[in-house]
Amino acid sequence: MNVGQNKVTTLKNAIETFVTPGCHLSIGGFTINRNPMAAVYEIIRQKIKGIHLYAHSNGQGVDELIGAGAISRLEIAYGGNGKFASTCIRFRKAVEQGVIEVEDYTNYQMTLRFLAGSMGIAFLPTKSSLGTDIINKWGFSKEMRKKSSNIPDDKLIEMDNPFSNWCSTSKVVLVPAINPDVTIIHVQKADKRGNCRIEGLTFADVEQAKSAKHLIITCEHLYEKDELKSNSDQNQIPFIHVDAVVHIPHGAYPTACYNCYDYDPQQLKKYGEYAKNDDDYKKYLSKYIFGIKDHQALIDLVGLKRMEMIKADPETGYASNMDRT
Amino acid sequence: MNVGQNKVTTLKNAIETFVTPGCHLSIGGFTINRNPMAAVYEIIRQKIKGIHLYAHSNGQGVDELIGAGAISRLEIAYGGNGKFASTCIRFRKAVEQGVIEVEDYTNYQMTLRFLAGSMGIAFLPTKSSLGTDIINKWGFSKEMRKKSSNIPDDKLIEMDNPFSNWCSTSKVVLVPAINPDVTIIHVQKADKRGNCRIEGLTFADVEQAKSAKHLIITCEHLYEKDELKSNSDQNQIPFIHVDAVVHIPHGAYPTACYNCYDYDPQQLKKYGEYAKNDDDYKKYLSKYIFGIKDHQALIDLVGLKRMEMIKADPETGYASNMDRT
Amino acid sequence: MEYTLKEMMTIIAAREISNNDIVFCGTGISMLAAMAAKKINAPESVIFFETGAIDSKLEEIPLAVGDPRVMYHTSANGGLLDSFATMQNKITGDHVVGILGAAQIDRFGNLNSTVIGDYSSPKIRFSGSGGGCDVASFVPKSLIFMQHEKKKFVKKLDYLTSPGFLDGPGAREKAGLPSGGPAMVITNMGVMKFDEKTKEMYLAGYYPGITPDEILDKMEFTVDTSMAKEEIPPSAEELYLLREKCDSRRLIL
Amino acid sequence: MEYTLKEMMTIIAAREISNNDIVFCGTGISMLAAMAAKKINAPESVIFFETGAIDSKLEEIPLAVGDPRVMYHTSANGGLLDSFATMQNKITGDHVVGILGAAQIDRFGNLNSTVIGDYSSPKIRFSGSGGGCDVASFVPKSLIFMQHEKKKFVKKLDYLTSPGFLDGPGAREKAGLPSGGPAMVITNMGVMKFDEKTKEMYLAGYYPGITPDEILDKMEFTVDTSMAKEEIPPSAEELYLLREKCDSRRLIL
């Protein structure tokens, strides 16, 4: 958070400043939509390692961070990417090879954990996962938890309803709050102070943003101070929560950004191909991430024709009739 | 809730159907803003009694329901009306004369209780009110609670943080969920299926709406089925939660409705005068509620000139430079 | 008339959906089934997604629940908190039909979509719960898509991701879950349901050309087949609407 | 230069607000103090309201926190959940200054805004907490407006609505509240603060023409007056900005 008036900076600087080795990170978006991909690629480019990542279903961004070896611990609900990966390939390999420690939650639980963090409360209750291995099986041991001041001593706690049977509820599961060191989200519109306007679904971005100690915003469109203060009903994140604002057109590419561009099915498929084996994946990393200097270079590399293809139809907000086979 | 496709009805019918004697009710808005006043007056006109009312700071509507004798039990955070009543007069008289049972909470607690109800969970935690009489002093006795299946056995429950000292939290207060039999809110825009768009602050309307077993919407502007499905980012309540939609221009009068009209300072002041003693208040009731057949009759009685005075400035959303002395 | 098993499975699921049902669907065939129901037999059913979109128009089929196509022409665009609250809150949740899939299922309809092998060092890692466990925990009725294979219909799950009837009658209630649970398992060979009393899976239907014994051969545990009937294949109209109005580009089919 | 006590009180509160403070304010004089701070000494302080409005432009003075005037030209228009989370969440909450008022206050800065007499059958009923108890529970620093009267500065509150330092040093922490509490009580006669160690109220300042003894006469309990200094009256510029730029129609003043 920062109550200051101008937070515009470069992506390089924002990542250097807030994303430190071993930090606890969360990224916005959902599967193939509005992942802060430019920031993900910059984190990889800066070779920041040992990150503890919190994810619900943050699809493409999660798989690329894992693939590049940036992640050592992962708390996650869903490591898939819709039709493009029933299970994300680099995520799967990393878990099966034991190169990352992983702990499983549900999408609702992860969202409630961010909500708890954003509310400044230690936990929230739900009925989800009662009687399942989500409660019984922990990815992080009691010992490791006790040692780490920034991980709660328990994964989840089952509790009887203290209000007798109020709401015909006998038991609940308590999920512990998450307050990431830094959250990064990509939005359609932000002003220079950091007021944000997300178009289309917000997923869990608002909770992830408000629960974070530091918040980096990348945006498609950057507005002057106060320009977004008209029609502010549509702003979900007031500037006080924001530390850095970075203007990056196509900042979610190859994932979608509603009303701006669609996901790129060709790039996502190609990624899946490269991801299948380690040598090919090295080629992917050097060609699409390490081999280029910034996100604009990636957009240039992919080319104008592809950008035209994924350009959003102003009526529907996505690329109507785009070939997705 | 009702998944049906057309919910348009008359106010008379909506109130008759859903607001029954002794029911548990909540109304939307905040102090002098967006109270569902047309519905409040219709409840009074239909002489429905014994209502258990849940309120945070629902100002004008609460005081008029109490003044008319419709309320027997009240759970409330704030019985004031801003500059127009540091303490609402009829509320104060009713409590001091012991004609209503009242139990006190904070605004955040009441909002969390509606949120819990809307989430389908028995309780939510907060740090608010630890060490205060909000926790220690109950308005409803243990005995009465035990007898009533629709009131939780405990007002609030203090609990140690089960996640040790996670989030440097040692204790929390658990607030029990509220699921009113019926919630009534007034919105700027609704379609015939019940999709709702609130402009300006939402207060706790969305939580009150989604926690209710039945939901009555009164609206300034009524739209055809699906008209509000474009720009649906701005819709807060999808139609599945809604039971009845009633089209009532000036339905929040004499409270404000952002972008439509301001509160009426003259009428609110006059109300305060009438409220001071019981005989005058009887005059108020017969002149402004029982003496007229519906809300349009009230608008006609107050007159066009006043409606012009409170008409919202399209830029600011309120009546700029209106005389409020 | 020719049809694929995938089409059969989709239509059978679609037939289970009624007007005024609120249908929770995931990616792929489950989304297609929900779309087919709206076109064929339940035009007033309401589709919603865990991402927060409700009553989406779906002019094109989404390839994920995060696809921007779910955001167009909705009743509201919210977030994950909204969609899961719609299910956990029984006022609306009691009207929700969930459509799920998994890597393993047991005879009480519990699902595994997390790992094969030991959780701490798995042989195979899958995506994990996503919203699956949430839906299975909350909703009164769910439909489950499975492929009929011995390694998928198992005596004991490697990991219980999403609750069915847990270990039998009364177990959900004992665990603190709302009553409800799986209603139907739709596979590439037939349809399984769950006994009212024992909560155990039984064979309710098999597809034309497939015998109950062939189905039992594809399962690690046996189920009662005495009530099994041959399923009615998709009609020409059902197929037409599914193929032309739901997935004309064959992105899922 | 002439000024009213209300103007003095407003300016003293305004002087306590700094740039980058997030100021929670209620109706009336507290709102006026927050507006005055922005015009006079803290142009980059941020005003917000429990109703969910943050960074409102306030071209006209609102007559309630629910006044539509708080909704115009904001950084975001949310609801009650947003505003209280902004305070309970220490990341933002540690930057919040709350401005409160009450019917009774005790020597540890605890407030009563609920009843006089017995809670179950009160002699006088007031509005109740509203968001007051929430703010007093959450924020590290609050300013309290009071009228100096014996019945208002009492030995024992009839009802403890909003927590100050409860019964003294360490009591907030013991109760589970975040540390913090009241910083200053601004009355029509002077300014009280709270001792670092004992958490007890002491007289920090008195207005020109008023003596410490006159103030003690208006209190049921006595406080240390040894550190009291005469308060600096509002300057001509402060008064000009307050009168002309904040409340030119004298709706509050």
Side-chain angles (χ1 to χ4, degrees), chain B residues 25-322:
Chain B
L25 171 72
S26 98
I27 59 172
F30 196 98
T31 58
I32 55 175
N33 206 314
R34 229 166 23 69
N35 289 208
M37 294 309 296
V40 163
Y41 294 136
E42 181 60 26
I43 290 169
I44 295 170
R45 230 176 260 116
Q46 290 190 19
K47 298 194 166 61
I48 298 159
K49 306 287 181 190
I51 293 172
H52 185 122
L53 185 66
Y54 300 103
H56 41 82
S57 300
N58 307 93
Q60 189 65 21
V62 169
D63 202 50
E64 298 217 26
L65 284 169
I66 292 171
I71 307 303
S72 61
R73 284 186 198 146
L74 176 64
E75 301 184 38
I76 191 167
Y78 178 73
N81 214 14
K83 190 82 162 54
F84 295 96
S86 58
T87 305
C88 291
I89 299 169
R90 302 313 299 184
F91 158 77
R92 175 180 171 170
K93 283 184 190 291
V95 177
E96 290 175 2
Q97 291 162 10
V99 291
I100 61 171
E101 292 178 85
V102 63
E103 185 163 85
D104 281 82
Y105 296 86
T106 72
N107 268 340
Y108 192 40
Q109 288 173 338
M110 288 305 290
T111 307
L112 287 174
R113 295 182 67 194
F114 288 119
L115 176 63
S118 73
M119 292 168 69
I121 196 69
F123 61 87
L124 284 170
T126 176
K127 290 185 184 180
S128 178
S129 84
L130 285 162
T132 73
D133 285 334
I134 302 276
I135 296 180
N136 300 332
K137 299 194 175 166
W138 296 13
F140 306 154
S141 70
K142 265 262 179 213
E143 300 62 46
M144 180 270 236
R145 291 172 173 283
K146 284 252 178 261
K147 282 199 222 83
S148 329
S149 63
N150 51 6
I151 300 175
D153 291 353
D154 296 87
K155 179 191 180 186
L156 297 165
I157 293 176
E158 213 175 301
M159 185 177 87
D160 290 339
N161 179 4
F163 290 92
S164 332
N165 202 42
W166 189 239
C167 302
S168 38
T169 296
S170 59
K171 288 182 187 170
V172 294
V173 186
L174 305 180
V175 302
I178 295 172
N179 290 106
D181 296 315
V182 54
T183 286
I184 309 172
I185 65 171
H186 183 73
V187 305
Q188 285 84 354
K189 296 172 178 174
D191 70 24
K192 292 181 172 179
R193 299 164 82 201
N195 291 316
C196 296
R197 186 172 301 176
I198 296 170
E199 295 174 354
L201 298 173
T202 54
F203 305 125
D205 282 25
V206 178
E207 294 73 35
Q208 292 177 257
K210 292 184 174 183
S211 63
K213 293 168 191 141
H214 298 291
L215 176 57
I216 300 173
I217 302 297
T218 63
C219 62
E220 289 296 320
H221 305 290
L222 181 64
Y223 292 82
E224 286 308 310
K225 182 170 178 297
D226 289 3
E227 266 189 285
L228 294 183
K229 288 188 78 180
S230 22
N231 308 315
S232 53
D233 295 11
Q234 296 167 50
N235 302 350
Q236 298 91 348
I237 302 171
F239 73 101
I240 60 167
H241 300 278
V242 177
D243 292 89
V245 177
V246 186
H247 183 211
I248 309 181
H250 291 102
Y253 179 87
T255 69
C257 188
Y258 196 61
N259 290 340
C260 301
Y261 46 89
D262 213 324
Y263 49 86
D264 181 349
Q266 296 178 30
Q267 182 72 2
L268 291 174
K269 266 203 218 70
K270 192 185 293 174
Y271 174 86
E273 293 305 319
Y274 278 114
K276 283 202 184 76
N277 80 67
D278 296 0
D279 292 341
D280 290 345
Y281 200 70
K282 286 202 190 71
K283 293 197 194 91
Y284 167 80
L285 288 173
S286 59
K287 177 173 181 189
Y288 289 101
I289 302 178
F290 293 113
I292 58 180
K293 78 174 206 306
D294 60 16
H295 200 65
Q296 187 52 53
L298 172 64
I299 302 307
D300 297 342
L301 177 64
V302 176
L304 206 59
K305 194 154 150 295
R306 195 84 62 80
M307 294 306 127
E308 274 309 311
M309 178 187 89
I310 63 173
K311 197 166 184 304
D313 171 335
E315 161 60 19
T316 61
Y318 56 82
S320 305
N321 305 312
M322 172 174 70

Side-chain angles (χ1 to χ4, degrees), chain A residues 176-218:
Chain A
I178 295 172
N179 289 106
D181 296 315
V182 55
T183 286
I184 309 172
I185 66 172
H186 184 73
V187 305
Q188 285 86 352
K189 297 172 177 171
D191 70 25
K192 291 180 171 180
R193 300 164 81 201
N195 291 315
C196 296
R197 187 172 300 176
I198 297 171
E199 296 174 353
L201 298 173
T202 54
F203 306 125
D205 281 26
V206 179
E207 294 73 34
Q208 292 177 256
K210 293 183 173 182
S211 64
K213 293 169 190 138
H214 298 292
L215 175 57
I216 300 173
I217 302 297
T218 63

Side-chain angles (χ1 to χ4, degrees), chain C residues 167-178:
Chain C
D167 56 12
R172 281 182 70 95
E173 295 69 15
K174 191 156 156 295
L177 289 171

Side-chain angles (χ1 to χ4, degrees), chain A residues 17-314:
Chain A
T17 309
F18 297 109
V19 183
T20 54
C23 73
H24 287 223
L25 173 71
S26 97
I27 59 172
F30 196 98
T31 60
I32 54 175
N33 207 313
R34 229 169 20 71
N35 289 207
M37 294 309 296
V40 164
Y41 295 136
E42 182 59 26
I43 290 170
I44 295 170
R45 228 175 261 118
Q46 291 190 21
K47 298 196 166 60
I48 298 158
K49 306 286 181 192
I51 293 171
H52 185 122
L53 185 65
Y54 300 102
H56 42 81
S57 298
N58 307 92
Q60 187 66 21
V62 169
D63 204 50
E64 299 217 26
L65 284 170
I66 293 171
I71 307 305
S72 60
R73 285 187 197 147
L74 177 64
E75 301 185 38
I76 192 169
Y78 178 74
N81 214 16
K83 190 83 161 54
F84 294 96
S86 58
T87 305
C88 291
I89 299 170
R90 303 312 301 186
F91 159 76
R92 175 180 168 171
K93 282 184 191 289
V95 177
E96 290 174 2
Q97 292 163 9
V99 286
I100 61 171
E101 291 180 85
V102 63
E103 185 162 87
D104 281 82
Y105 295 86
T106 73
N107 268 340
Y108 191 41
Q109 288 173 339
M110 288 305 291
T111 308
L112 287 174
R113 295 183 66 193
F114 288 118
L115 176 63
S118 72
M119 291 168 71
I121 196 71
F123 61 87
L124 284 169
T126 175
K127 289 184 184 181
S128 179
S129 83
L130 285 162
T132 73
D133 285 334
I134 302 277
I135 296 181
N136 301 332
K137 299 192 175 167
W138 295 14
F140 305 154
S141 69
K142 264 259 181 219
E143 300 61 45
M144 179 270 237
R145 291 173 175 283
K146 283 251 178 262
K147 282 200 224 82
S148 329
S149 63
N150 51 7
I151 300 176
D153 291 352
D154 296 88
K155 179 191 182 187
L156 297 165
I157 293 177
E158 214 174 301
M159 183 177 89
D160 290 340
N161 180 4
F163 290 92
S164 333
N165 201 44
W166 188 240
C167 301
S168 37
T169 296
S170 59
K171 287 183 187 170
V172 295
V173 186
L174 306 180
V175 302
I178 295 172
N179 289 106
D181 296 315
V182 55
T183 286
I184 309 172
I185 66 172
H186 184 73
V187 305
Q188 285 86 352
K189 297 172 177 171
D191 70 25
K192 291 180 171 180
R193 300 164 81 201
N195 291 315
C196 296
R197 187 172 300 176
I198 297 171
E199 296 174 353
L201 298 173
T202 54
F203 306 125
D205 281 26
V206 179
E207 294 73 34
Q208 292 177 256
K210 293 183 173 182
S211 64
K213 293 169 190 138
H214 298 292
L215 175 57
I216 300 173
I217 302 297
T218 63
C219 62
E220 289 296 320
H221 306 290
L222 181 65
Y223 292 82
E224 285 308 311
K225 179 169 179 300
D226 289 3
E227 266 188 287
L228 294 183
K229 289 188 78 179
S230 21
N231 307 316
S232 53
D233 295 11
Q234 295 166 52
N235 302 349
Q236 299 90 350
I237 302 171
F239 74 101
I240 60 167
H241 301 279
V242 177
D243 291 89
V245 177
V246 186
H247 182 212
I248 308 180
H250 290 103
Y253 179 86
T255 69
C257 188
Y258 195 62
N259 288 340
C260 301
Y261 46 88
D262 214 326
Y263 49 86
D264 180 351
Q266 297 179 30
Q267 182 72 1
L268 291 174
K269 268 203 217 69
K270 192 185 289 172
Y271 174 86
E273 294 304 322
Y274 278 113
K276 282 202 184 73
N277 78 68
D278 297 359
D279 293 343
D280 290 345
Y281 199 69
K282 286 201 190 71
K283 294 198 193 89
Y284 168 80
L285 289 173
S286 59
K287 177 172 182 190
Y288 289 101
I289 302 177
F290 293 114
I292 59 181
K293 78 173 207 306
D294 60 15
H295 199 66
Q296 187 51 53
L298 172 63
I299 302 307
D300 297 341
L301 177 65
V302 175
L304 206 61
K305 196 154 147 296
R306 194 82 63 79
M307 294 305 127
E308 275 307 313
M309 178 187 90
I310 64 173
K311 198 166 185 303
D313 171 335

Side-chain angles (χ1 to χ4, degrees), chain D residues 107-125:
Chain D
R107 69 186 215 277
F108 290 117
N110 303 300
L111 305 177
N112 172 15
S113 52
T114 305
V115 293
I116 297 296
D118 175 34
Y119 179 62
S120 58
S121 54
K123 267 194 235 51
I124 305 172
R125 172 71 209 202

